[in-house]
Amino acid sequence: MQHVKVPQDRLGVLIGEGGETMREIEDRAEVRLDIDSESGSVAIDATGDPVTAMVAPDIVRAIGRGFKPDAALSLLDDEMRMFDLIDIQDATRNKNDLQRQKGRLIGENGRTRELMEELTGAEVVIYGTTLGIIGGPEEVQAVRRAAEMLLDGAPHGAVYGFLERKHNELTRGIDLQQSD
């Protein structure tokens, strides 16, 4: 059995309307979720295939970190899909710095975060003090690198250039596979 802590304001999303989301996670990941709405602690117990159940903590964690349930459940669609979390606080000195860094990651009107998604194919959510990523290994790695560049103070233009190059690499790989 594993335990995952979910912020209070995300418990409703995890449970879903009439328990719908919770039941879908339980069915698809072959687990039982025991949600303590007081503490936000979620106990995850495998009920079926233990390999399938191994994904459940990441699904719960992803919803807790701001992802929509569909995005989190996509971790079950392909064994290569993964969930990664970057703690923005690690790159900040204080609350003001945290706000500034979050602003750099989000970009004007959310443009930087959108570009990370568009150019890598990964899903990106900034919630609280974390940046969450769901995607394939290369996609997740590209977003992680772009976020680290921004957190290290790289100009947005340089990061966009990096993302463009990554996008070309990732899509060129797909073209090569289709010509078989």
Side-chain angles (χ1 to χ4, degrees):
M1 181 178 295
Q2 287 195 297
H3 291 268
V4 174
K5 195 111 165 77
V6 174
Q8 289 295 138
D9 65 326
R10 297 295 299 167
L11 285 174
V13 180
L14 177 64
I15 295 166
E17 203 170 314
E20 199 178 308
T21 304
M22 182 177 92
R23 274 195 303 281
E24 186 176 356
I25 295 167
E26 288 178 334
D27 292 346
R28 290 192 51 201
E30 300 180 28
V31 293
R32 195 171 65 73
L33 301 180
D34 186 9
I35 302 171
D36 180 340
S37 51
E38 290 295 303
S39 68
S41 178
V42 180
I44 303 165
D45 203 8
T47 57
D49 176 12
V51 176
T52 304
M54 280 174 29
V55 180
D58 276 347
I59 293 170
V60 172
R61 221 174 271 119
I63 292 172
R65 297 315 312 157
F67 281 94
K68 292 185 174 114
D70 287 348
L73 282 160
S74 77
L75 290 166
L76 289 166
D77 297 342
D78 175 357
E79 62 200 31
M80 292 304 287
R81 277 184 85 70
M82 56 193 280
F83 169 65
D84 193 14
L85 209 53
I86 297 172
D87 190 342
I88 303 166
Q89 260 180 316
D90 289 349
T92 62
R93 296 178 297 282
N94 54 42
K95 257 196 157 116
N96 288 344
D97 201 25
L98 174 66
Q99 285 309 103
R100 190 180 63 77
Q101 292 287 36
K102 276 175 67 173
R104 284 180 54 79
L105 291 168
I106 295 166
E108 199 169 325
N109 300 321
R111 191 69 189 125
T112 302
R113 187 196 63 77
E114 276 174 22
L115 274 173
M116 284 187 212
E117 286 189 332
E118 284 171 25
L119 294 174
T120 64
E123 298 198 44
V124 180
V125 171
I126 296 164
Y127 173 89
T129 60
T130 59
L131 180 142
I133 315 161
I134 292 179
E138 285 105 358
E139 298 167 351
V140 168
Q141 197 50 50
V143 172
R144 174 172 271 284
R145 183 72 197 104
E148 287 168 352
M149 288 167 75
L150 285 167
L151 292 171
D152 287 343
H156 280 81
V159 176
Y160 296 162
F162 164 77
L163 286 169
E164 289 280 351
R165 285 191 304 280
K166 268 299 177 203
H167 173 73
N168 292 337
E169 274 174 42
L170 292 169
T171 51
R172 212 180 354 263
I174 292 167
D175 293 344
L176 294 174
Q177 290 166 354
Q178 289 174 341
S179 62
D180 290 347

